[in-house]
Amino acid sequence: MIDNMHDAVIRIDENRKVLFVNDEALKISGLKKENFVGKLIQDVAVSNDLVRDLIKEIIDPDAEKNPAELLKIFVEGKENYFEKEILDINVIPTGENDSRFIGQVIMLRNITPFKELDLAKNTFYRNCFS
């Protein structure tokens, strides 16, 4: 199911080890699954600028958090825009009352079509009313 999503999805555990990455995230990052899954995300980030940008707030929790950060990424020679969202995963184990942190999901939602429409609208207004 995750592999069929149009959003890029990366799941890391509480120790920052990559548990899974979908095809869209592989395409955007330019990495192969064997160089990503099972590795510590900070080790992947050493050789990949995009991953480094994605995990800044995970590595440095004191950094200013932007709830829906906009990223411009070139994919297959085309400029694309993505909203980044990092979600903490907490569970309450059976028979317990307190939740426990078990990792995070990094999602990149492709908003390129919306940005293109916004640009076309702005160009139209500029041409008609200037």
Side-chain angles (χ1 to χ4, degrees):
M1 181 173 91
I2 300 289
D3 275 334
N4 293 320
M5 290 180 66
H6 295 288
D7 296 336
V9 179
I10 302 167
R11 164 74 162 92
I12 59 176
D13 69 11
E14 66 275 13
N15 299 312
R16 299 185 182 146
K17 181 175 155 186
V18 178
L19 298 178
F20 67 79
V21 57
N22 71 351
D23 292 338
E24 192 67 22
L26 291 172
K27 182 171 83 173
I28 292 168
S29 69
L31 294 169
K32 295 182 179 183
K33 195 171 261 190
E34 58 268 14
N35 298 329
F36 217 144
V37 176
K39 312 280 187 213
L40 292 174
I41 195 133
Q42 59 267 34
D43 292 344
V44 175
V46 168
S47 61
N48 189 283
D49 292 337
L50 174 60
V51 176
R52 191 173 317 121
D53 285 344
L54 293 177
I55 68 167
K56 279 180 185 173
E57 67 188 66
I58 293 172
I59 300 301
D60 184 9
D62 295 331
E64 185 177 324
K65 290 187 172 130
N66 189 348
E69 184 179 340
L70 188 65
L71 300 169
K72 181 171 37 173
I73 304 169
F74 284 87
V75 181
E76 298 175 341
K78 183 178 181 256
E79 189 175 81
N80 287 269
Y81 294 89
F82 293 86
E83 279 184 346
K84 175 181 85 170
E85 189 172 5
I86 299 176
L87 305 166
D88 288 345
I89 302 172
N90 296 293
V91 297
I92 300 175
T94 305
E96 295 185 21
N97 296 325
D98 297 326
S99 69
R100 189 170 63 107
F101 174 75
I102 62 165
Q104 294 169 303
V105 173
I106 303 168
M107 291 181 57
L108 292 176
R109 190 167 297 110
N110 191 337
I111 61 163
T112 304
F114 303 108
K115 281 293 273 186
E116 289 172 344
L117 285 172
D118 193 44
L119 179 62
K121 177 189 78 173
N122 290 339
T123 302
F124 174 77
Y125 285 142
R126 203 172 28 254
N127 290 337
C128 289
F129 301 108
S130 58

